[in-house]
Amino acid sequence: MKLLKDKLPILLFILLLAGVWELGTRLFDVPAYIIPRLSDVCAALLNHAALLGKHFALTLWEALLGLAFSVVFGVLSAIWIDSSSLARKTIYPLIVASQTIPIIALSPIMVMWFGYEIGSKISVVILFTFFPIAVNTADGFRAADREIGELLRSMGAGKTQLFLKWKIPSALPSFFTGLKMAAAISVGGATLGEWLGGESGLGVYTKRAANMLRGDDVFAGVLLLSLMGIALFVTAQMIERLVLGHRRS
């Protein structure tokens, strides 16, 4: 009951938006290729459920793989930046500077390097998700309380113990902040990778539907992509609560 009460405002707001969408498109007779009726979008979801399910599974797999690689590379990069002053002066600024380059401009390069198979889609997801994980985790390491570190050193803690008992616990909140951001945008990376070159996935599905002016199918695909991003964010949030739950008490 408490969970339902907590979620009631957002549920009511979603129902309000759904009602405005459906009634607005009917009252103003909006063309379906611009904004289809919500009922038509729901019908498209039901009518093409099997096909959408296959595309959904592939896009989700691409997003998860890219996110997993970003976690590994991002955390390793953050450890390197924290442990090496040279890396902190060179690699960290380069990672930040890399975000000034439009990712959509780098995406075709990934396609040239990895072809039109799943590798190019994963690489685009990594382009989207590596930065928030690496930078937030590195900042988390840097923000570790120095007094705690000095206390552990005075008690005879070595480098490994300092890393495990001091650095990692200090960086976890920042890491999960980056992970939640990356989880939400990983879907966009997978979709862009599919747009640039692919034969299946929700990105390909929505692109083909748009070319044929099938607004209901486009919105059905976009709705599923949005739900996927929300689900990945919530999953990351749940993992954060499991790992850091003791800090809330």
Side-chain angles (χ1 to χ4, degrees), residues 101-109 128 192 195-196:
I101 304 173
I103 294 178
I104 194 170
L106 295 176
S107 301
I109 298 177
F128 270 72
L192 178 59
W195 282 349
L196 293 172

Side-chain angles (χ1 to χ4, degrees), residues 32-69:
Y33 62 86
I34 296 179
I35 301 179
R37 296 173 181 175
L38 179 58
S39 56
D40 292 336
V41 175
C42 293
L45 286 170
L46 293 175
N47 294 334
H48 305 141
L51 180 60
L52 285 168
K54 293 179 182 179
H55 288 300
F56 183 94
L58 179 60
T59 302
L60 177 61
W61 179 238
E62 293 164 354
L64 288 174
L65 282 178
L67 188 60
F69 279 113

Side-chain angles (χ1 to χ4, degrees), residues 106-181:
L106 295 176
S107 301
I109 298 177
M110 299 297 104
V111 175
M112 288 191 298
W113 286 353
F114 300 105
Y116 292 100
E117 302 300 324
I118 192 172
S120 62
K121 285 72 172 175
I122 294 173
S123 64
V124 175
V125 175
I126 294 173
L127 286 176
F128 270 72
T129 57
F130 171 79
F131 177 79
I133 294 175
V135 169
N136 278 280
T137 305
D139 288 347
F141 283 138
R142 188 170 55 186
D145 192 329
R146 294 187 179 276
E147 292 184 0
I148 295 177
E150 292 299 328
L151 176 61
L152 291 173
R153 288 191 186 94
S154 68
M155 298 172 65
K159 288 185 177 181
T160 302
Q161 290 176 314
L162 284 171
F163 181 71
L164 296 176
K165 301 293 185 180
W166 174 42
K167 287 286 188 175
I168 288 183
S170 299
L172 278 176
S174 296
F175 163 75
F176 279 111
T177 297
L179 179 62
K180 288 184 290 185
M181 293 171 59

Side-chain angles (χ1 to χ4, degrees), residues 86-105:
L86 180 61
R88 189 159 50 250
K89 294 176 182 178
T90 57
I91 302 301
Y92 186 87
L94 284 177
I95 292 176
V96 175
S98 68
Q99 295 304 294
T100 62
I101 304 173
I103 294 178
I104 194 170

